[in-house]
Amino acid sequence: MLRAKSILYTAFLTASIFISSCDKNIDEAPQDPNLVKNAIFESMQEWYYWNDQLPTVINTDSYGSNEELLYNLMYLQYDRWSYLTTKEAFEKAFTGQNAGHGFGFGLNSAGELFISFVYEDSPAGQDGWQRGWQILEINGQPISVYETDGGYNFDLGESTPGISNSFTFKLPDGSTTTRTSIKDNYQANSVLHKEVIDQGGEKIGYWVYNSFKATADVSPTKSVEVEETLRYFEEANINELIIDLRYNGGGSVDVAEQIMNALVPAAADGKLMYTNDFNPDKESLNDAYNFERTNNLTLDKLVVITSRGSASSSELLINCLKPYMEVTLVGEQTYGKPVGSFPLSSFNSILDQNNVELVPITFAIANAAGEAEYYDGFPADILAADDPSINWGNLEDERLSAALSYLLYGNLSPSSRTKTLKSNWQMIDGFTGLQKEFPVY
């Protein structure tokens, strides 16, 4: 989610504000549940970006839960992201402190299911799982059992340590293996892969970045992992960069700014990065933020690999850099989230005392060219299919191959041209709320 600086910094003191998405159950109900419901409604009236669409009064008794109330208050024409969670869950999510198996799913063009990514320190990562393993069965049932009208429901249980699931895989060598994975706590890595590709006299950096997570207990808010990755590419003296955001649902805008300030051309230093726009009652908080260039990377253009799973801070990066450098999208149209949020419990004592974190959409975001209305996402300039059967860095990956062809030849080589159908289900579609921004099983 996006943070609003200045006035909000003072109000939050040390709290960071990020770009965000949708919902999570609150387990501990207060003695009088209507106190929290009223606090939610009052906070929405004060802060919600579309507060002119809210009712003037509500009957809190008519709503069976806090989540039901919030959903009924949301302006569903545009809002797919407002949610409730807890303060602890919010903080853990944005610093990559996860619980689960620690991997993602992806479909190839034939509809076969594969591991799409694995976090190194997760139970799956520690067991050696890899992108490219085909998933044949889950808990002894074929994948077809889990198909729904809208995609897939794998029913893997809550993201709680101790929950066990079994998976049967077909490995790239044709052999099969069945693994039992027990969910546990782990620290997620955001950088899934990085390398320098030497082709055609060019040194091309390739960076697979999975989520904009800040490093815990580091001030000012930033990612040490990102810092190390940028240093790696700078020391390699790359000429071009491909940043792969195909599964990146968003995260901390502080980290997005950290990356943008390293990638933006020197001529843009000090120029407008973005503006935000609050509801009319909070328009005094409207502000503008400028680039503060860091590092010594010299890039005139950037290639971004995208999909429907690219959302929020991923789109912020694309939108803010477009006015200052050539940004080419390879893959598929992005998700579409030009609005931001921050947690409101710091502004409401009832929410705070009951550990209810309300995270509604609170403002819209525009780049230096005033472009802000991308609710349908950004279309890809070069269409290319995802193939999770191929591991990171393999040039048989159609999206990586198309990105390289564009950088080397200015267009797609004949062998790289593919007929790409829009995917009708991606992993981001299997999640709601806070988990929609950081989708992982």
Side-chain angles (χ1 to χ4, degrees):
M1 1 174 142
L2 275 181
R3 50 184 170 66
K5 300 170 185 168
S6 59
I7 295 174
L8 291 179
Y9 266 154
T10 303
F12 279 119
L13 297 178
T14 58
S16 294
I17 303 173
F18 306 94
I19 287 181
S20 221
S21 318
C22 278
D23 134 308
K24 189 161 182 163
N25 291 329
I26 306 301
D27 296 326
E28 298 182 5
Q31 290 181 338
D32 180 359
N34 286 339
L35 284 176
V36 168
K37 291 176 185 176
N38 284 324
I40 290 170
F41 181 52
E42 290 165 5
S43 295
M44 290 287 281
Q45 287 179 309
E46 180 180 4
W47 288 101
Y48 193 46
Y49 183 65
W50 297 285
N51 67 349
D52 60 342
Q53 300 295 321
L54 295 173
T56 55
V57 294
I58 61 169
N59 178 10
T60 53
D61 288 325
S62 65
Y63 300 99
S65 67
N66 298 334
E67 288 78 13
E68 182 184 348
L69 168 62
L70 178 62
Y71 183 80
N72 279 274
L73 293 176
M74 288 166 60
Y75 183 46
L76 297 178
Q77 180 176 347
Y78 292 117
D79 188 0
R80 293 172 281 171
W81 308 284
S82 295
Y83 64 90
L84 291 163
T85 184
T86 66
K87 291 183 285 186
E88 181 185 23
F90 181 90
E91 175 62 25
K92 283 186 173 182
F94 279 88
T95 54
Q97 300 172 67
N98 290 4
H101 296 304
F103 73 104
F105 292 128
L107 295 168
N108 68 3
S109 58
E112 297 168 323
L113 193 70
F114 291 83
I115 292 177
S116 57
F117 66 87
V118 182
Y119 289 136
E120 294 174 3
D121 292 334
S122 70
Q126 291 299 299
D127 196 32
W129 300 14
Q130 296 287 323
R131 173 178 168 87
W133 289 15
Q134 185 179 356
I135 306 168
L136 303 177
E137 295 181 351
I138 297 176
N139 292 324
Q141 299 290 327
I143 296 305
S144 59
V145 170
Y146 299 97
E147 291 186 28
T148 67
D149 290 339
Y152 291 84
N153 180 4
F154 297 112
D155 193 24
L156 299 180
E158 296 294 322
S159 297
T160 304
I163 293 178
S164 175
N165 291 286
S166 68
F167 304 84
T168 299
F169 300 108
K170 181 179 180 181
L171 305 185
D173 64 6
S175 65
T176 60
T177 180
T178 297
R179 306 288 181 90
T180 297
S181 177
I182 301 174
K183 294 184 179 184
D184 203 354
N185 296 313
Y186 65 92
Q187 177 65 50
N189 57 295
S190 291
V191 178
L192 300 180
H193 180 82
K194 64 178 186 291
E195 68 172 300
V196 176
I197 301 171
D198 289 298
Q199 279 203 9
E202 299 288 332
K203 299 183 75 173
I204 301 170
Y206 176 49
W207 178 7
V208 183
Y209 191 59
N210 202 54
S211 56
F212 295 82
K213 296 189 181 86
T215 303
D217 302 320
V218 172
S219 183
T221 303
K222 67 177 181 178
S223 167
V224 172
E225 206 178 354
V226 162
E227 195 173 63
E228 293 170 348
T229 301
L230 291 168
R231 188 181 308 118
Y232 166 80
F233 288 127
E234 185 177 345
E235 291 175 353
N237 197 27
I238 62 171
N239 310 108
E240 311 283 2
L241 178 63
I242 300 167
I243 183 166
D244 194 332
L245 303 178
R246 72 180 80 181
Y247 305 133
N248 192 318
S252 165
V253 80
D254 289 286
V255 178
E257 289 185 10
Q258 180 184 357
I259 296 172
M260 290 189 289
N261 281 325
L263 302 185
V264 74
D269 188 22
K271 293 186 178 180
L272 181 63
M273 179 185 287
Y274 66 86
T275 60
N276 55 26
D277 176 47
F278 286 78
N279 69 45
D281 299 327
K282 296 291 184 182
E283 63 182 11
S284 63
L285 297 178
N286 294 351
D287 210 344
Y289 308 104
N290 298 331
F291 284 102
E292 299 176 10
R293 190 172 185 270
T294 59
N295 295 337
N296 294 307
L297 290 173
T298 305
L299 304 171
D300 296 320
K301 57 181 177 288
L302 178 69
V303 174
V304 184
I305 294 178
T306 59
S307 74
R308 178 177 166 76
S310 308
S312 198
S313 285
S314 291
E315 295 169 307
L316 177 72
L317 181 146
I318 293 165
N319 199 42
C320 290
L321 290 177
K322 280 198 308 179
Y324 301 105
M325 62 193 304
E326 179 187 325
V327 180
T328 302
L329 306 190
V330 174
E332 192 180 2
Q333 186 160 321
T334 66
Y335 192 83
K337 188 189 176 191
V339 285
S341 311
F342 52 83
L344 295 184
S345 66
S346 297
F347 296 100
N348 188 292
S349 61
I350 299 297
L351 297 179
D352 184 62
Q353 291 164 11
N354 289 282
N355 193 25
V356 175
E357 193 60 271
L358 171 62
V359 193
I361 297 302
T362 50
F363 57 95
I365 310 146
N367 67 7
E371 296 166 334
E373 298 291 321
Y374 50 92
Y375 287 99
D376 294 326
F378 294 114
D381 300 294
I382 300 170
L383 294 176
D386 188 21
D387 189 350
S389 71
I390 298 171
N391 212 341
W392 302 120
N394 189 321
L395 299 186
E396 292 183 7
D397 176 5
E398 291 182 8
R399 289 181 173 171
L400 176 58
S401 176
L404 288 170
S405 293
Y406 174 75
L407 287 174
L408 294 172
Y409 311 116
N411 52 30
L412 286 177
S413 63
S415 62
S416 299
R417 296 183 186 277
T418 59
K419 183 177 180 179
T420 305
L421 298 177
K422 183 178 180 180
S423 60
N424 53 23
W425 182 87
Q426 290 195 22
M427 193 175 66
I428 195 172
D429 299 312
F431 293 89
T432 58
L434 184 59
Q435 291 179 315
K436 198 174 188 73
E437 192 135 15
F438 305 103
V440 64
Y441 292 96

